[in-house]
Amino acid sequence: MPGLPAFCPRPRDLRRGAALTLVFAVCVGTAAATGCWAPHEADEPHTSFLAGAGEPDPPPATDPGTADREAVARAAAEAVAEGKSGKKAAQEVVSRSGDRWGTVYDRGEYAAFAEELDGRWTGVGLWAGRRGDGRIEIDRVQPDSPADRAGLRAGDRLLSVDARSVTGLAVADVVALLRGEAGTPVVLGLSRDGADLAVTVRRAQLRTEPVTVRRLAGGITVIKVASFTRGSGERVRAAVREAPPGGGVMLDLRGNPGGLVTEAVAAASAFLDGGLVATYDVRGSERALYADPGGDTARPLVALVDGGTMSAAELVTGALQDRGRAVTVGSRTFGKGSVQMPTELPGGAVAELTVGTYRTPAGRSLDGGGITPDLAAGDGAEERARTVLGGLGVGS
């Protein structure tokens, strides 16, 4: 949750917070689910995502349902009074409600959320995705991670975690199985080239660099934003300031699962001189997010997107596209833009229930349909982006 200090939230913090969250990406990964926390409901909406995640389940074709807060709280209270798990009882109500993005967390999970906002998490270092038949496959392995050192590789099928089958499980449940304390072992059942094997891997503290910069010939700067963790917005702005005069920029948001909305707005501000970035509603009450003034509005800009571009990354894409600031190149984005609000429950759990949606400056909903890029491109997206920048006078 944006603004959350790196400690487990106290109950009074949760009551005061009543913050907004966007649970934008529900993916499978070795890292824990990442959330974002804001200290004031009206001030700072935010997103949740899974660090170290891969291909997510597709978004719902229709608007998600909404769980009733009072019913969820009542179920938790009754369970706690009977000596049962308030979290489990609340989650059952949320599951029945049709609120696809609603979920329930315990305090320990919130503690993990805090450190992940700094680009750190505890896991084994692999990205995995759920296929259409329910299979879980590894898409990518983080270099020099426990998974890498254990010999795991892209294409391996994940069959089980500590002897529990993961095939057909909801992706959030798979993530929960992969969570744990640094240094603890986890046994992964795998299938590779038709043979089954078991690999024991020890979880570790991992880090990612949310923003990387590289230079291409012709004065082009590529700014890759892997996620909107704390400080990423300012890093984007610094990269734009340091770009060669007269050069163009590729803002690469492919595979970006989201993160802190405040960081996304800061990143958009690098290319805008104030103005609207997005609107969002909370039970019918509309709010707005605005860019800071003073961004670079003249430098040619291309935004690279794909099906892994989600949530806060879609928010940036929509703002730059609607305001005519960037040419978007790639494939349709994921389409996750619903707003959740956390509510503390009896027993200490926290439920995040859908209360509204985000919209681009032109009023387009981000939820369900995603954003269609101006120019379609697959594996050759970067080359096509270079062509676009050449047409805008970069390198000529």
Side-chain angles (χ1 to χ4, degrees), residues 28-258:
V28 172
T30 60
T34 302
C36 314
W37 181 263
H40 302 291
E41 170 186 336
D43 294 341
E44 192 178 22
H46 48 275
T47 79
S48 300
F49 62 99
L50 304 185
E55 291 298 319
D57 286 341
T62 58
D63 288 340
T66 302
D68 181 81
R69 287 186 300 172
E70 292 184 2
V72 173
R74 184 165 56 249
E78 291 173 354
V80 171
E82 296 173 1
K84 300 178 182 179
S85 169
K87 175 187 174 181
K88 182 177 180 180
Q91 187 62 63
E92 289 175 354
V93 175
V94 173
S95 298
R96 292 195 302 267
S97 73
D99 188 341
R100 176 183 171 91
W101 305 110
T103 191
V104 183
Y105 301 108
D106 61 33
R107 286 184 181 138
E109 290 167 335
Y110 263 64
F113 295 163
E115 69 172 14
E116 287 160 14
L117 290 176
D118 291 319
R120 298 180 290 123
W121 74 92
T122 300
V124 300
L126 63 80
W127 279 251
R130 175 171 158 173
R131 306 301 180 239
D133 59 0
R135 291 179 297 120
I136 305 299
E137 288 188 2
I138 296 175
D139 290 327
R140 182 162 60 93
V141 176
Q142 182 171 335
D144 199 33
S145 66
D148 185 33
R149 293 190 291 271
L152 275 67
R153 61 194 190 208
D156 287 347
R157 179 180 174 185
L158 183 62
L159 302 175
S160 63
V161 177
D162 284 336
R164 177 174 177 181
S165 173
V166 299
T167 301
L169 283 185
V171 289
D173 292 337
V174 179
V175 170
L177 292 176
L178 291 163
R179 292 175 60 102
E181 296 182 3
T184 58
V186 57
V187 180
L188 305 181
L190 304 168
S191 176
R192 177 187 297 167
D193 300 328
D196 292 349
L197 60 154
V199 178
T200 300
V201 184
R202 288 194 177 274
R203 301 175 177 97
Q205 280 282 320
L206 301 171
R207 292 192 66 90
T208 58
E209 178 53 60
V211 179
T212 55
V213 181
R214 57 190 173 94
R215 306 272 191 244
L216 302 180
I220 297 174
T221 299
V222 181
I223 304 173
K224 169 68 175 178
V225 187
S227 61
F228 287 106
T229 52
R230 190 169 290 113
S232 56
E234 179 51 40
R235 293 185 188 184
V236 171
R237 299 179 74 164
V240 174
R241 290 193 298 266
E242 295 165 5
V249 168
M250 287 187 204
L251 180 64
D252 191 350
L253 299 175
R254 292 174 295 180
N256 184 319

Side-chain angles (χ1 to χ4, degrees), residues 1-2 14 17-26 34-38 40-49 59-60 62-69 72 91 94 97-105 110 113 257 259 261 279-283 287 311-312 334-344 350-358 366-368:
M1 325 307 186
L14 296 174
L20 294 175
T21 132
L22 285 171
V23 182
F24 270 136
V26 178
T34 302
C36 314
W37 181 263
H40 302 291
E41 170 186 336
D43 294 341
E44 192 178 22
H46 48 275
T47 79
S48 300
F49 62 99
T62 58
D63 288 340
T66 302
D68 181 81
R69 287 186 300 172
V72 173
Q91 187 62 63
V94 173
S97 73
D99 188 341
R100 176 183 171 91
W101 305 110
T103 191
V104 183
Y105 301 108
Y110 263 64
F113 295 163
V261 169
T279 60
Y280 62 97
D281 63 90
V282 180
R283 298 191 175 92
R287 319 286 173 82
S311 65
F334 179 74
K336 182 65 186 80
S338 62
V339 182
Q340 280 73 40
M341 180 175 291
T343 300
E344 188 196 5
V350 179
E352 291 188 335
L353 310 177
T354 301
V355 296
T357 57
Y358 272 74
L366 293 172
D367 210 47

Side-chain angles (χ1 to χ4, degrees), residues 313-339:
E314 290 178 285
L315 186 148
V316 174
T317 303
L320 297 177
Q321 187 183 57
D322 278 5
R323 296 185 57 182
R325 181 59 189 91
V327 177
T328 54
V329 174
S331 54
R332 182 185 291 273
T333 64
F334 179 74
K336 182 65 186 80
S338 62
V339 182

